[in-house]
Amino acid sequence: MKKLFTLVALLAMFMGAKAETIEDRFVDFSTLTDLNYKGKGWWADEAIARLSLQDGCLHYHSEEATDPTWAAQFQPITIDDPEIGVTYTLHYKIKGSKEENISFLGVGQTPYGQFLVTTEWVEGTVDYECTAADGTFMIQCGGYIGDFDIAYLKVTHEGKAPRPQEWIELLTNGDAETPWEDLGLADVA
């Protein structure tokens, strides 16, 4: 009976250790300027498509489709040290001049995912499994003719929060101005 109680207690303890949502990255475009956002991986002929920051959003504008559609793509967010096999969630708020799906590739995801752009602000999520640990999110929008705005992007996953680092004072005398000789350590130096 005592062994059964111990087993049940241990099982309850392990089951009680539940996963929590960990935020890997959050980008609020209203806090950025063109100067500190340009250069985050943008590939397109500027005569066909443009990416900028307008009215607190990441703004995309295109007057014609690219061929192939991935000829206009950008990396609006990256994460550090993604884990292969972990399911990540991309959270977004987006609005466009027309309704259409846009493709995206997240940290090595295969096949490409999609999220819907509508003419009203939409907050949504897309889940995907990490298959390559490069941390890159690529939005491919060459087929989208018109404008869309992204207010924010956030990446999360379920897991355990890392243990806090504990600092241990290894020096008993932290006075760095005392000469070695006065500390009795002159022959060590």
Side-chain angles (χ1 to χ4, degrees), residues 50-103:
R50 290 181 296 286
L51 190 64
S52 62
L53 292 169
Q54 291 182 12
D55 302 323
C57 296
L58 181 61
H59 180 77
Y60 174 83
H61 173 78
S62 178
E63 295 180 10
E64 62 182 278
T66 62
D67 185 24
T69 59
W70 47 262
Q73 58 185 351
F74 60 97
Q75 297 172 339
I77 190 170
T78 60
I79 59 173
D80 298 325
D81 303 321
E83 295 179 49
I84 294 175
V86 170
T87 298
Y88 289 87
T89 303
L90 175 67
H91 306 256
Y92 59 88
K93 183 175 181 181
I94 193 167
K95 175 185 174 181
S97 58
K98 67 176 188 170
E99 186 171 305
E100 186 175 316
N101 282 329
I102 295 178
S103 296

Side-chain angles (χ1 to χ4, degrees), residues 113-125:
Q114 292 195 339
F115 57 92
L116 179 64
V117 176
T118 67
T119 58
E120 300 295 322
W121 282 109
V122 173
E123 291 186 87
T125 61

Side-chain angles (χ1 to χ4, degrees), residues 160-175:
K160 290 184 179 181
R163 269 184 70 189
Q165 285 187 341
E166 294 179 23
W167 292 92
I168 299 170
E169 181 65 47
L170 298 177
L171 297 175
T172 56
N173 179 354
D175 182 3

